[in-house]
Structure formats: C-alpha cells, structure tokens
Amino acid sequence: MSSFEMESKLDEDPSVDRSLELSGEQLQQLVSLVMSHLREFIDSLAEQPAWEFEGAASIARSVMEALPDKGTEPAVVLRRLFNELLPYGVNSAGPGYLAYVPGGGVPHAAVADLISGTVNRFVGLWNGAPGLAQMEVAVLRWFSDIVGYPATAGGFFTSGGSLSIWSAIVTARRCKFQGELSRGTLYTSNQAHHSVSKAAMFAGLPPENVRSISVDSAFRVCVDAMREYISKDRRDGFVPFAIVGHAGTTNSGAVDDLARLADLAAEEHLWLHIDGAYGGFFMLTERGRGLMRGIERADSITLDPHKALFMPYGTGCLLARDQSHLRQAHQLRGEYLMPGPDEEFFDLSDISPELTRSARALRVWLPIMLHGIEPFRSNLNEKLDLTELVAQRLRQLDAELDDRLEVVSDPQLTVVAFRLVREGFTDEQNDDLNARFRNAINASRRVLLTPTRLHGRYVIRICILSFRTHIDRVEACLEEIYRAARAV
C-alpha cells in the first residue's frame, strides 16, 4: 500500500479522533460563549470589588483535581471559570486597583492574542512569518523613537521587566567586561526593583557584587556616592562594568538624574541600563520628557508596555541603542535552522534569548493601529494630573486631623507615598498604626493600596496608572483615606 493510500484510509477512518480540529463555525460558537461572560465582566468592572481573598484558599484547592479523561460541556467549564475561579485575588483590571504598578489590559490586545494563538505563526525566524516578525521590529522602532534612540537601535519583546533586565546585564557583561566574574561589579540604587539583583545573579555575578547606592530625599540615586564607590572598587581590584538607573521606581516613582548617570557611565566606560519598566512610556508626555532627560544616552532600556501603555501582563521589552550589541550577546545558530534572511532583515532569535516566539508584537500593534498613540498620551497626562490632585488633597487633609498625615515625597510620576505620624509614638508604633490604617482604607474593597518601606519606615502607596481609573475612583479613594484616618 502506498503512503498516499494509507493517508487516504486514515482520513476515512472513523476511529481517528478529530475533536481538536474545530471548524470555523465551532470556534465562533465557543468564542461567542466566552464573549457573553467577558461582556458581563467588562460592563460590571466599576462595581466589582478591588480585591477578594475570603475563601480563596478553598477555591485554589478545588483546581487540584485529577486529569480528566473526558471533556465537560463548554458552558459548564466557563461558568466555573468566571463565577468561581476568577473573582478571587486582586482585580487588576478594575479602576480601584491602585496597588503596585497597575496596567489594565486594553481589550484590543486580547483580540490580538486570539488572532495570534489561532494562526499560530512562529516569529523566532524571519522566514517563519515575515510580516509578523517585521511587525516586532517596527513596533520597537516606534518605542525607540519615543525614547529618542537613533536609527541603530532595536530590541525584542519579553514577558516583562525581569527578563529584560537579565538580558541587558548579559549584554553588558559581554560588551563591557573581561576577566573573572567574581570581580565584576554593578551599581544601582537602593530603591532598585529586586529583579536587578536577581538578573545579576542569573548573569553569573555574586549577589554581593551588586552595589546598592544611597538615595537623596526624593529617592533618586546619589550619583556622587556611586562615583566614589566605583573608584573604591577599582582600587580594591574589582572590575566595574555596569550601572542600572531608574526612570520610575516601584516604591515611590522616583526618576534618577539620568543625564548625570550617563555622564558617569561615559567617564568610567561602563554600560548604562535604565529600568524604565514603569516610567519609560511617560516619554510620550511633555512632563515625562522633562524628567527623563538623558535617557536617550543609555546603552539599553527596559520598557513594560503592560504598565504605562496599558497592555496585558506578559508584555515587556528590551531596547538597545546599538542593536549589534544584542546580537553580540545572543547570537548562536543550529544547523537545523532555516537559512537567515537577506541583509535587510534578521532573525529575532539572533538578538534575544528565545528561539520559539509567538507574535507578541501583535498585541501592541493592533491597539495602536486602531487608535493611534494620542489616547495613550492623553491617558498618561490624566494620570499625572490625578496624582498631583491626590498629593494636594492629602496635604489639605493633614490640617483636619489630630495625627500628622505626611506625604513622604512629592510625586514625580504617578505614585504618592504617605503615612500617619502620631505624636508620642515610637517608629515601630507608627509602623503598626499605618498597617492598621492601610487595612482600614482597603476594608470597603473600593480600592486596593499596598505598602512599602521608605527610609526604613512603613508607608502606604497610591499608584494611579490604569486606563480605567478616573477622577470618580480617585475621589472614592480619598474618601476611604479620610474615613480610615478618622477611624484609626
């Protein structure tokens, strides 16, 4: 029997399971069923609680079930997903999510993911999907223009800032460091995200070789202190090779003096990476460009579109001012791969850690193509205005309370950190007071605020960034703060 005849018989064999091969009509029916739930979810977001933890452990245990042999009706599965599993945790899609660094997840990106997942194109190699691979190059060219990078710039999409900073440090190590890794040193702020130390560890640096430099009263890194530390390390036989500065810290939204850091990096011949995961896209605004002068001189920049560009989680990227440095650090090919494209194009796998890649750029390209960049800029300006309003109102509230309500630092982006200070209390008692204060603010579940520590003290953060957060929810937040301040 020929192979053709065998294939034909298999096609006709009723025992061949084709249940995974949904027709276009079946897929449409399934998506329509999903959409009925998503429509209700989106339309009720304003009324949904900002968080729900009661009973979450029981729900989490319920999914630890045996692998099913048989399927369940889609309507039953989706009811369980939307009614039982999804309501628990933090509602990061809602307007009351003012914790950490919100993003939001514009629904257009979900449509892009549906397209990407269905057509299932492979973009690690340019020949696999030329249009979608080049789309990533084009979107990152947009980002390079936003931060002021030259035509030599380029980059790639990642799942978020943690992988971006790791790849940046690997690139810095390859381009700026020669010798034994145990002697290499990296310099950053004591306000750095923990992913910086984690990335350095993954890149082979001993954890103690990440130098944590003090900050000023506005939580910006002290450049002079960094310079002194670099000089001391050189005298002690270490090999400084990289600086990580910040365009918006998680704790307070602080933006380092990027121009001075760029000067220092140039003087010392060090790689300069800027963690702009939170703040980088504020370069779309006039205020952001004023704060971040010098960012265009960095050797590499982390940007998270899933923060200040409102994309879904899992959308990060790394930019390099000279894309050839990414190739120098990442390129390695196998004999089983398709030949590369001509000189005009390149394989994304040659400049990034991954070979297997989905069309990540589509989830950014589609919303921007549908709306243009102006609504994104407008939203960022609105969040800056709302943050200034919150800081002003908190200072007004201070005059009405018996306790002192302290705005710990003037907001630079869209984070306001504040705390109550009660006369006669020790630092530890004030920390306990503020923990109770935060719990009282969150109790109604209209908003979710998170704590951190600044200069060793417990403070409460408001971070206004979601594209669904507007003046009405900010007023609700201020009401909860006022009520809770009276209560505690």
Side-chain angles (χ1 to χ4, degrees), residues 152-164:
T152 55
F156 54 89
F157 277 101
T158 69
S159 61
S162 294
L163 288 186
S164 298

Side-chain angles (χ1 to χ4, degrees), residues 325-363:
H325 291 146
L326 297 178
R327 186 183 300 273
Q328 183 180 342
H330 295 92
Q331 186 172 30
L332 189 65
R333 296 186 71 89
E335 66 277 4
Y336 40 80
L337 298 178
M338 289 189 293
D342 61 31
E343 290 184 5
E344 182 181 354
F345 306 109
F346 63 92
D347 293 329
L348 290 166
S349 60
D350 283 344
I351 64 166
S352 70
E354 296 175 291
L355 174 60
T356 303
R357 301 167 54 82
S358 64
R360 290 179 183 146
L362 185 59
R363 58 163 51 177

Side-chain angles (χ1 to χ4, degrees), residues 42-366:
I42 288 175
D43 288 346
S44 65
L45 266 173
E47 289 74 46
Q48 292 176 29
W51 58 273
E52 178 59 80
F53 299 136
E54 187 175 349
S58 176
I59 286 295
R61 293 187 192 103
S62 75
V63 298
M64 301 301 295
E65 52 201 338
L67 177 69
D69 288 324
K70 302 293 184 182
T72 305
E73 283 296 314
V76 175
V77 173
L78 291 171
R79 274 199 304 273
R80 181 186 178 199
L81 175 63
F82 281 90
N83 298 343
E84 298 178 22
L85 303 182
L86 289 180
Y88 291 89
V90 297
N91 188 0
S92 53
Y97 182 67
L98 306 175
Y100 305 110
V101 181
V106 289
H108 321 65
V111 176
D113 283 351
L114 174 62
I115 297 169
S116 175
T118 303
V119 302
N120 196 34
R121 292 294 188 265
F122 177 86
V123 301
L125 300 177
W126 187 87
N127 287 326
L132 293 176
Q134 202 63 24
M135 180 185 291
E136 183 159 332
V137 177
V139 172
L140 291 167
R141 182 64 257 166
W142 294 346
F143 292 175
S144 296
D145 291 342
I146 288 169
V147 301
Y149 264 177
T152 55
F156 54 89
F157 277 101
T158 69
S159 61
S162 294
L163 288 186
S164 298
I165 181 65
W166 171 66
S167 207
I169 293 175
V170 167
T171 304
R173 186 191 69 188
R174 186 66 179 267
C175 296
K176 290 288 187 179
F177 183 76
Q178 302 294 328
E180 173 57 44
L181 272 176
S182 65
R183 306 307 291 168
T185 51
L186 179 148
Y187 304 83
T188 192
S189 158
N190 66 18
Q191 297 297 298
H193 194 276
H194 79 280
S195 61
V196 175
S197 294
K198 195 171 183 179
M201 178 179 68
F202 287 165
L205 238 62
E208 62 272 16
N209 287 21
V210 177
R211 309 306 197 203
S212 182
I213 308 300
S214 60
V215 295
D216 63 18
S217 59
F219 304 100
R220 297 171 298 199
V221 71
C222 295
V223 180
D224 289 338
M226 185 179 287
R227 178 181 284 106
E228 291 173 8
Y229 217 135
I230 292 169
S231 296
K232 179 181 182 301
D233 276 343
R234 289 197 193 279
R235 292 194 301 270
D236 292 343
F238 288 98
V239 184
F241 75 96
I243 294 169
V244 176
H246 294 84
T249 59
T250 301
N251 277 346
S252 67
V255 178
D256 291 333
D257 188 333
L258 305 184
R260 286 195 68 201
L261 284 179
D263 289 343
L264 177 60
E267 292 164 12
E268 298 288 347
H269 305 288
L270 307 183
W271 185 276
L272 175 61
H273 177 77
I274 299 301
D275 180 358
Y278 161 34
F281 283 111
F282 281 92
M283 284 289 288
L284 286 166
T285 71
E286 184 177 351
R287 281 171 282 185
R289 289 190 295 275
L291 274 171
M292 298 178 199
R293 288 191 183 93
I295 194 172
E296 74 284 351
R297 296 169 60 193
D299 294 288
S300 56
I301 303 171
T302 290
L303 296 173
D304 271 359
H306 63 214
K307 292 186 173 75
L309 213 58
F310 318 125
M311 299 299 160
Y313 290 128
T315 318
C317 76
L318 175 67
L319 295 179
R321 184 153 45 94
D322 185 342
Q323 184 174 267
S324 69
H325 291 146
L326 297 178
R327 186 183 300 273
Q328 183 180 342
H330 295 92
Q331 186 172 30
L332 189 65
R333 296 186 71 89
E335 66 277 4
Y336 40 80
L337 298 178
M338 289 189 293
D342 61 31
E343 290 184 5
E344 182 181 354
F345 306 109
F346 63 92
D347 293 329
L348 290 166
S349 60
D350 283 344
I351 64 166
S352 70
E354 296 175 291
L355 174 60
T356 303
R357 301 167 54 82
S358 64
R360 290 179 183 146
L362 185 59
R363 58 163 51 177
V364 178
W365 181 87
L366 185 62

